[in-house]
Amino acid sequence: QVQLVESGGGLVQAGGSLRLSCAASGSVFCRNPMDWYRQAPGKQRELVAAITSGGSTNYADSVKGRFSISRDKAKKTVYLQMNSLEPEDTAVYYCHTNCFGIDYWGQGTQVAVAA
């Protein structure tokens, strides 16, 4: 079992910044990539950013140059630094990993960007 707990969401003005955190715990040792997804009202959940155990990263085109994903292996925590936020970034952000074929999701953290 893997448990993922997100934090760091909130309300911010357009152009502002937020940093999301995802703390992983559990009894399963897994080196799979960690991802951040988001889901806006009425839209499908979409991949925002991913990071491998080796530190390679991948971003959705809509956030390239504005968001940065990183991980602290010692703390078993993944971060999503979000800069130059836009109203279109408003969504619930979820942390995700797939470990031995099982998808694990956090409970989500709300990000709201006011114009």
Side-chain angles (χ1 to χ4, degrees):
Q1 287 284 354
V2 176
Q3 291 81 41
L4 303 174
V5 179
E6 303 99 334
S7 62
L11 173 64
V12 65
Q13 294 291 322
S17 298
L18 284 173
R19 189 175 82 154
L20 306 183
S21 299
C22 172
S25 62
S27 59
V28 176
F29 179 68
C30 185
R31 292 186 174 182
N32 280 9
M34 298 286 292
D35 318 310
W36 284 99
Y37 282 75
R38 68 184 180 188
Q39 187 166 20
K43 294 188 177 182
Q44 289 188 331
R45 194 171 295 190
E46 63 174 352
L47 179 64
V48 175
I51 186 166
T52 67
S53 60
S56 297
T57 59
N58 188 39
Y59 298 93
D61 288 342
S62 59
V63 306
K64 281 181 181 176
R66 300 188 298 121
F67 289 12
S68 177
I69 188 171
S70 61
R71 69 193 299 171
D72 185 326
K73 290 184 179 180
K75 295 183 178 179
K76 297 183 182 179
T77 300
V78 176
Y79 304 98
L80 185 66
Q81 178 66 43
M82 305 185 295
N83 299 326
S84 302
L85 282 161
E86 303 168 353
E88 292 74 21
D89 296 317
T90 295
V92 178
Y93 285 71
Y94 297 91
C95 185
H96 165 267
T97 191
N98 182 287
C99 199
F100 301 116
I102 299 173
D103 285 313
Y104 295 96
W105 295 91
Q107 82 287 354
T109 185
Q110 176 72 53
V111 171
V113 184

